[in-house]
Amino acid sequence: MSPADALSQPALWPLSAIVFLPAIVAAVLALPIIPRAREELIRWITLATTAVVFLLSLWMAWPAVFGAQGPAQFTIGEAGMQLVVSKPWIPAFSIEYLLGVDGISMPLVVLTTFLSLLACAASWPITKHVKAYHVLFLLLETGMLGVFVSLDFFLFYVFWEVMLLPMYFLIGIWGGPRREYAAIKFFLYTLLGSVLMLLAILMLYFTSDLRMLSPEQLEAAHVVSPALEAAARADAVAAIKTAAEPIHTFNLLALAELGQLPNSPFAAAQVWGVSLEVLAFLLLLIGFVIKVPVVPVHTWLPDAHVEAPTPISMILAGVLLKLGGYGIIRICYPVCPGGGLTLAWLVCGLGVVSMVYGAFAALAQTDFKRMVAYSSVSHMGYVMLGLGVWSAVAGNEFRWDAWGQGVNGAMFQMLAHGFSSAGMFFMVGVLYDRVHHRNLNEFGGIFNRMPVYAALAVAIFFAGLGLPGLCGFIGEVLVTLSAWNYSRTLAAISAFTVILTAGYILWAIQRVYLGAEYKGPHGEALTPITRRELAIATPLVFLAILFGVAPQLLFNYVTPSVNRQVETLAEWTREVRPDFPASPAIETVEAGVTRALAGE
Amino acid sequence: MDLGSLVSGTINDTLRVSLPLFRVELVIAVSVVLVLLARMLPVLRWLDSGLVALGGACFASWYGWADLQTVQQAVPEAGGFSRELFGGLLVFDSLTVYVRLLLAAFLVLYIVFTKVSGIPDREDGADFYVLVLGATLGMCLMASANHLLMVFMAVEMASVPSYALAGFLKGRKAASEAALKYAVYGAGAAGIMLYGISLLAGVLGTCHLPSMAGELGRIVGEGKAGGEIMVLSLGGLMLAVGLAFKLSAVPFHFWCPDVFEGAAAEIGAFLSVASKAAAVALAVRLVFGLGTVPDGAAAGVVATGLADVRHFLVYVVGLMAVATCTLGNLAAYGQTNMKRLLAYSTVAHAGYLMMGVAAAGALAGVDAAGAQRAVAALAFYLGTYLFMNLAAFAIVAVLRNRLRSEEIASYAGLVRTNPGIVVATTIVLVSLIGLPPLAGFVAKFLIFSSLVKAIASTAESPLMLVILIVGGINTVISLFYYLRVLKVMTFDPLPEDRVAEPAGAFSLAGGLVAALAVPVVLFGILWSGLYGFAQLAGSFAS
């Protein structure tokens, strides 16, 4: 790579370092340079790596903290794709090393690096095969970060799959008693989803044709780098426009532009009588909802979460579930908007079913960790509902200002759930490390024995409950409000679910933390929280409160990008479905969100 | 034309054109003679036959590489580089040079592998390497056959040494049984194939593939009396039987697990990689040879006739691919012996390869660029399959030398004593599943993409869609049995009687396994280079 590339693509090295530094350190650790017995050293090296990656991502995402804005740093409030890195990879298939972030992916990147840092710190009690554990952990981090920053579908898929194997071993070797079953189940479900995704990717690729895009669209999609000289850009555009054969692409931005054309090739193509955009939407959706997960493909989650060691549960709940939501928001809707419009009822329905089912299932659990796992199913249901109302057209009313609200709410819910669920799993882990059981009915009286821990834990659980003033509330209320415009029934059910959520969380708090005294096994091991544990729990609790009282901190990132996408799709809907009744002006998306925020 | 000019023309063609382009095969043939001489002449007794064979293989690879360069430089010109050798018996084109180089390079790696793993010992070396070199010679001919007689001779030349190899572990009952089974099946398949060839030749009046296609198209296109079509279909099916046997395609796969289990892992490696590469190349040759006319300028009756021929061929290959892949993967479940598991894995991978052949056949004559890409996908698959499967069998051989067992159960807890080998096994088996960022994923991706291409732009889309879905499902179900091996190696506890080996010691065997596993990762990430050569191989389908 020449210096000129570094100048025209300032994010090349920082963004690549965020993604690949963990993998490089993992490779070095895997070599027999550091002896296996130096466990403490391996732990510190891994912690330092995750810390460096976290600081790097923070430097990128929040320039204000680090002084003046640099060219490789994120501009808050800008809606479009930023810090784009583009390098040819496999020219024969026009596969590119194409990275970039926007307001949707940047917060998720920081969430990932942050939770990886905390999870690495939470890995200190791991004593079995320490070296292998940390190598796999770092590989996992590379996979997760790669998914969030890839803008090339092939690259996205590669990173998506890279996560599977480390996760399989992390659950299968360091997990609980039923770890083998849980590990293979996780692998199998996800692989099934990703094979379907691969089929959709190939179908979209071979249907795509870059020649249909205008020069402006080609530049916006970074097919032709906007950093080039005007003459070089014109040449590149001309080369595409005059090609004799269709030029296929894996570029996600270009696929989205193609999918939103009035004469979209995906809408025109038919497979077995179904238009490709509906079929591809469905295939991709199945691949993503398995990860989210929604009922009925959620059954891998309770097993995987329960059997996984505490740090891996934190990563699973905090980051891996978000990959599904991210995929839906980044790929499903923009690339196949027609499919989204047709199948809105499916997405919303799945969301509400998971919400209710997850909450009832959580109520029925006696295993503390399993209860938290089901609460994740329930909470991710809000994400699905929020994303689903995006494309919703209820009855004779076309209220797309509500879409923006729903998607913003879903995004916020994903981030908030990242903090609160990771925190809840960590809190369960702290107890499990001491008393080696998780039976809700054998706890009680923890408040007396571990007061500091119990206070932090209750705060995190309240955040999960969605108490106003804590981070869980904002997303839920935005989603519920937006769903009202789509279907009153669904909105009522999702509002009703909050009661169930309060039910299982309060009941769990009562059974675990309250009560006179601890009567379960290993009572003598209930020592106060250690400094390491405190250092992990405190930031999570702090952020849960901070984002609860100042959600703008996140909305400043999220809203511009989300609104832009919603507005584009609203225009698209207006073009392809002129029969829809008149709808509010576009400016009101912002207003709708502001109204909702002010109303809380 | 009088006799004199005919003779001088033939001599001229043979000496000036054919033999220089036949030098890879000549080098292998000379190596066979040298290995035998080294054993017979007391003066040369000191010479290790393995080294002679290795020298010959290196020399052949070098020539193979030079030929590849020649073809590569010629390709930009219209039509690519294609010559008929020996009066049309063989054809020298980009597919020939690619597969031949692949086989020669495989031979180099393979001989190194057998030297490291210790089978055969010095005593048996000469026999072993003569058989291996001879079979490889036959496989090179399979890849370049242009005439049905040559097809038959090449298949037999590759098979007969393989029968002997299967029984190479003398005194082992299982090996003898496997060899007998293999030979009986092989003889049956050869007889059927020869019968099929004679039927085709009888109706069409020629065995020269390019001439056959035109005649075939005319007869089918004119829709003559049903009898001829019937005979032709029967002949085609019988020809397919011989090929399916070499590919270990269902329902002609029964020999495969028994032979792999009975014979040494080294022989399994040879049969599963080299034999498969040659058989796939031959399948591509036959599908294109019978389904298209060389210059693609078929018109009128011939064109419609050839479309029907291709439809027939694609259905035969495609349905067989579906059955092979599914059965191979399902049967691999219950296996407790690692070599048997790999045998079924080989069957399943033959299924994936045949899916690619079916897609190439569907695209041929409809979408030339798509057909070239489909063949390129197959060529790439073969290139990566060489490393994956050779590495897998090398691991089996290395572990056999250490543990004295090839049962999966005996690998329990291996990660505690041999972490390096477990990492290599993980890479190889996960690549066989087809997960990124490993070479097996790219290969599968390319095959699937040619299927999608065939769905999008040919008349065979219903069948291609079925094949694609079956391929996807198979990928998922293959996960179980590959992962089970890894599970045993990593999750299960170490048997108590196993002593840990000194850590960090570098062994030759470990180095070999690593050297074979590294390309599996490399071609998964940086596959542009290999794909470039694969595209060259695909360009033969003009």
Side-chain angles (χ1 to χ4, degrees):
Chain A
M1 290 169 205
S2 61
D5 286 337
L7 277 181
S8 64
Q9 304 188 354
L12 179 61
W13 291 112
L15 213 49
S16 304
I18 288 178
V19 176
F20 289 108
L21 188 64
I24 292 168
V25 175
V28 173
L29 278 182
L31 295 175
I33 301 172
I34 300 164
R36 261 192 276 178
R38 301 282 306 272
E39 296 182 348
E40 202 68 1
L41 180 65
I42 293 168
R43 288 195 181 107
W44 280 108
I45 290 177
T46 312
L47 188 69
T49 309
T50 50
V52 168
V53 173
F54 169 61
L55 287 177
L56 206 55
S57 65
L58 200 65
W59 170 80
M60 197 173 243
W62 201 5
V65 186
F66 298 88
Q69 170 109 25
Q73 284 169 294
F74 189 82
T75 314
I76 301 169
E78 198 181 300
M81 204 45 81
Q82 305 180 35
L83 310 175
V84 175
V85 172
S86 158
K87 290 264 150 213
W89 180 17
I90 312 289
F93 274 81
S94 57
I95 296 171
E96 286 184 307
Y97 176 66
L98 186 66
L99 308 181
V101 282
D102 68 354
I104 297 170
S105 53
M106 194 74 239
L108 288 166
V109 168
V110 180
L111 174 77
T112 308
T113 57
F114 177 66
L115 286 182
S116 296
L117 175 65
L118 293 189
C120 183
S123 302
W124 239 259
I126 302 274
T127 51
K128 194 165 129 188
H129 312 310
V130 173
K131 189 167 176 169
Y133 175 88
H134 286 94
V135 167
L136 292 168
F137 183 89
L138 287 170
L139 285 179
L140 179 67
E141 187 178 5
T142 286
M144 296 185 299
L145 288 168
V147 169
F148 285 131
V149 300
S150 304
L151 294 179
D152 184 283
F153 216 161
F154 187 87
L155 187 64
F156 178 94
Y157 186 78
V158 167
F159 281 122
W160 183 269
E161 298 277 82
V162 161
M163 291 180 301
L164 292 186
L165 204 64
M167 193 47 103
Y168 170 74
F169 283 118
L170 284 169
I171 298 173
I173 299 180
W174 290 272
R178 288 172 70 237
R179 55 183 182 259
E180 287 175 19
Y181 170 76
I184 189 81
K185 197 168 177 183
F186 163 80
F187 207 149
L188 191 67
Y189 270 70
T190 324
L191 187 67
L192 180 69
S194 44
V195 165
L196 296 179
M197 201 196 304
L198 182 63
L199 300 189
I201 292 175
L202 285 169
M203 289 179 185
L204 290 173
Y205 173 76
F206 280 107
T207 317
S208 65
D209 184 359
L210 283 181
R211 292 176 305 175
M212 298 174 80
L213 294 179
S214 69
E216 295 75 33
Q217 286 171 319
L218 287 173
E219 278 182 38
H222 291 269
V223 175
V224 174
S225 170
L228 290 174
E229 301 280 328
R233 286 205 306 264
D235 285 349
V237 169
I240 290 172
K241 291 299 243 185
T242 57
E245 295 281 312
I247 300 179
H248 304 314
T249 185
F250 281 111
N251 181 322
L252 280 174
L253 303 174
L255 287 174
E257 297 280 7
L258 282 169
Q260 292 164 21
L261 285 177
N263 55 343
S264 159
F266 308 142
Q270 299 264 324
V271 181
W272 267 346
V274 183
S275 100
L276 177 59
E277 60 176 357
V278 175
L279 185 70
F281 183 90
L282 195 62
L283 290 176
L284 292 170
L285 187 74
I286 296 173
F288 290 132
V289 295
I290 286 177
K291 208 79 163 189
V292 166
V294 300
V295 177
V297 285
H298 68 289
T299 56
W300 64 270
L301 179 132
D303 290 312
H305 281 210
V306 169
E307 298 307 323
T310 303
I312 302 308
S313 299
M314 290 168 69
I315 293 282
L316 265 173
V319 183
L320 253 69
L321 307 191
K322 277 74 207 173
L323 292 165
Y326 174 76
I328 295 173
I329 196 172
R330 165 73 76 227
I331 297 172
C332 280
Y333 282 99
V335 177
C336 310
L341 196 59
T342 315
L343 297 174
W345 54 272
L346 178 70
V347 180
C348 292
L350 284 176
V352 171
V353 169
S354 324
M355 209 184 277
V356 176
Y357 182 91
F360 273 117
L363 264 177
Q365 302 307 317
T366 53
D367 184 317
F368 200 2
K369 210 170 177 184
R370 221 175 166 82
M371 184 216 91
V372 177
Y374 274 110
S375 85
S376 284
V377 177
S378 175
H379 282 131
M380 292 306 283
Y382 283 97
V383 175
M384 290 296 289
L385 180 60
L387 294 177
V389 294
W390 183 341
S391 51
V393 179
N396 53 7
E397 213 182 355
F398 172 41
R399 289 296 301 269
W400 53 264
D401 59 332
W403 304 354
Q405 210 181 9
V407 180
N408 276 302
M411 268 305 293
F412 194 93
Q413 173 77 353
M414 286 212 280
L415 294 165
H417 181 255
F419 295 111
S420 66
S421 68
M424 287 196 277
F425 276 112
F426 179 70
M427 294 305 180
V428 176
V430 167
L431 271 188
Y432 183 75
D433 283 345
R434 284 169 173 68
V435 297
H436 299 288
H437 78 91
R438 290 186 302 256
N439 189 342
L440 280 170
N441 295 325
E442 291 187 25
F443 281 112
I446 302 291
F447 236 121
N448 297 333
R449 304 286 294 270
M450 306 169 69
V452 179
Y453 159 76
L456 291 170
V458 168
I460 275 288
F461 277 97
F462 276 142
L465 188 158
L467 202 67
L470 293 169
C471 66
F473 173 69
I474 314 283
E476 288 178 15
V477 79
L478 281 183
V479 168
T480 310
L481 285 177
S482 71
W484 184 257
N485 286 308
Y486 175 51
S487 154
R488 312 237 149 142
T489 322
L490 293 187
I493 296 173
S494 67
F496 163 73
T497 310
V498 175
I499 300 172
L500 290 178
T501 311
Y504 64 78
I505 291 215
L506 289 177
W507 194 24
I509 288 176
Q510 182 209 336
R511 282 186 287 177
V512 175
Y513 297 105
L514 306 182
E517 61 174 322
Y518 178 80
K519 289 190 183 123
H522 304 292
E524 71 289 347
L526 283 171
T527 49
I529 190 166
T530 65
R531 272 190 302 185
R532 184 183 60 80
E533 288 163 343
L534 205 57
I536 298 166
T538 319
L540 286 172
V541 174
F542 172 73
L543 289 177
I545 298 170
L546 180 70
F547 293 136
V549 291
Q552 294 82 358
L553 289 175
L554 289 180
F555 278 126
N556 285 343
Y557 286 88
V558 172
T559 314
S561 296
V562 166
N563 285 1
R564 197 180 83 139
Q565 202 162 327
V566 170
E567 283 158 17
T568 320
L569 288 175
E571 286 291 352
W572 173 87
T573 317
R574 203 191 296 263
E575 276 170 31
V576 297
R577 297 291 295 270
D579 52 315
F580 282 174
S583 50
I586 282 176
E587 284 71 34
T588 51
V589 174
E590 190 95 26
V593 174
T594 321
R595 246 198 345 267
L597 285 176
E600 76 184 47
Chain B
M1 191 189 281
D2 59 25
L3 189 65
S5 63
L6 192 68
V7 169
S8 69
T10 310
I11 291 174
N12 203 25
D13 172 67
T14 307
L15 293 184
R16 298 268 167 79
V17 181
S18 300
L19 282 181
L21 294 178
F22 196 59
R23 54 187 180 173
V24 174
E25 283 88 346
L26 288 180
V27 168
I28 296 177
V30 169
S31 323
V32 171
V33 176
L34 278 183
V35 170
L36 286 175
L37 273 183
R39 180 141 102 170
M40 275 164 59
L41 298 181
V43 196
L44 296 175
R45 272 283 153 75
W46 55 273
L47 211 56
D48 186 342
S49 53
L51 293 181
V52 176
L54 185 61
C58 287
F59 210 32
S61 312
W62 185 47
Y63 273 159
W65 176 250
D67 284 349
L68 188 75
Q69 300 286 320
T70 316
V71 173
Q72 193 167 31
Q73 275 142 23
V75 151
E77 296 156 26
F81 189 106
S82 177
R83 299 265 190 292
E84 289 201 337
L85 308 185
F86 302 115
L89 284 178
L90 297 179
V91 62
F92 177 93
D93 58 15
S94 55
L95 184 67
T96 307
V97 288
Y98 181 85
V99 178
R100 239 170 32 175
L101 176 61
L102 203 69
L103 288 169
F106 166 75
L107 209 49
V108 174
L109 290 172
Y110 181 68
I111 295 172
V112 172
F113 158 49
T114 53
K115 292 309 277 181
V116 171
S117 77
I119 284 187
D121 55 20
R122 209 180 150 146
E123 188 74 1
D124 290 335
D127 300 342
F128 184 83
Y129 292 116
V130 164
L131 291 170
V132 165
L133 287 170
T136 312
L137 187 57
M139 291 165 189
C140 287
L141 294 177
M142 280 166 79
S144 51
N146 196 37
H147 193 281
L148 283 189
L149 267 186
M150 205 58 220
V151 169
F152 181 74
M153 292 200 356
V155 167
E156 285 315 293
M157 192 156 178
S159 299
V160 173
S162 308
Y163 305 149
L165 278 174
F168 195 76
L169 294 177
K170 291 183 278 284
R172 260 187 68 182
K173 223 175 161 184
S176 312
E177 190 193 323
L180 186 65
K181 208 166 187 175
Y182 194 16
V184 169
Y185 262 104
I192 293 174
M193 182 163 74
L194 194 58
Y195 197 84
I197 289 173
S198 66
L199 287 181
L200 288 174
V203 175
L204 299 174
T206 174
C207 278
H208 181 233
L209 279 173
S211 321
M212 288 174 80
E215 192 68 8
L216 197 59
R218 198 179 53 75
I219 291 178
V220 177
E222 284 171 359
K224 277 198 183 164
E228 271 184 341
I229 309 264
M230 182 62 142
V231 173
L232 286 174
S233 322
L234 206 60
L237 283 177
M238 287 175 149
L239 187 59
V241 169
L243 209 56
F245 171 75
K246 286 308 284 177
L247 270 170
S248 64
V250 171
F252 307 100
H253 68 287
F254 294 105
W255 60 274
C256 187
D258 292 333
V259 169
F260 278 36
E261 190 183 3
E266 285 78 358
I267 287 143
F270 184 74
L271 293 181
S272 84
V273 179
S275 189
K276 191 129 303 170
V280 168
L282 180 56
V284 170
R285 280 248 181 264
L286 287 177
V287 167
F288 277 84
L290 295 175
T292 58
V293 283
D295 46 5
V301 180
V302 179
T304 51
L306 283 180
D308 285 346
V309 171
R310 283 196 302 270
H311 181 69
F312 175 75
L313 291 173
V314 165
Y315 261 80
V316 170
V317 177
L319 293 179
M320 217 178 244
V322 165
T324 305
C325 196
T326 312
L327 196 121
N329 277 324
L330 289 180
Y333 264 62
Q335 306 309 324
T336 54
N337 181 294
M338 187 64 187
K339 284 194 301 190
R340 228 180 149 79
L341 184 134
L342 284 177
Y344 280 112
S345 143
T346 302
V347 173
H349 280 269
Y352 294 123
L353 282 162
M354 287 164 76
M355 291 178 179
V357 176
L363 287 161
V366 181
D367 176 352
Q372 294 192 358
R373 283 200 155 194
V375 177
L378 286 168
F380 187 92
Y381 203 117
L382 292 176
T384 55
Y385 191 67
L386 186 161
F387 289 102
M388 290 192 292
N389 248 30
L390 192 56
F393 280 100
I395 288 165
V396 174
V398 167
L399 290 179
R400 173 201 64 206
N401 290 349
R402 295 223 171 128
L403 309 173
R404 302 273 147 225
S405 167
E406 286 159 346
E407 294 300 310
I408 295 171
S410 68
Y411 297 163
L414 207 63
V415 72
R416 323 274 188 280
T417 56
N418 304 71
I421 288 205
V422 173
V423 170
T425 315
T426 309
I427 290 173
V428 169
L429 294 187
V430 172
S431 177
L432 284 171
I433 300 172
L435 293 185
L438 301 170
F441 163 68
V442 180
K444 208 168 261 185
F445 167 81
L446 292 172
I447 295 281
F448 284 2
S449 66
S450 46
L451 284 169
V452 172
K453 184 78 191 154
I455 291 174
S457 61
T458 73
E460 307 290 354
S461 51
L463 177 69
M464 293 296 139
L465 197 58
V466 169
I467 295 179
L468 182 67
I469 292 167
V470 170
I473 293 171
N474 269 294
T475 304
V476 178
I477 58 181
S478 72
L479 177 77
F480 274 114
Y481 64 88
Y482 288 121
L483 270 191
R484 190 158 55 85
V485 178
L486 298 181
K487 180 198 89 91
V488 170
M489 285 183 165
T490 52
F491 299 180
D492 288 1
L494 193 67
E496 284 176 4
D497 53 346
R498 181 93 48 79
V499 279
E501 297 188 22
F506 179 82
S507 67
L508 207 56
L512 175 79
V513 170
L516 289 172
V518 165
V520 176
V521 181
L522 210 61
F523 290 141
I525 299 170
L526 303 168
W527 47 281
S528 248
L530 182 61
Y531 188 68
F533 290 119
Q535 273 181 311
L536 178 67
S539 70
F540 97 100
S542 52

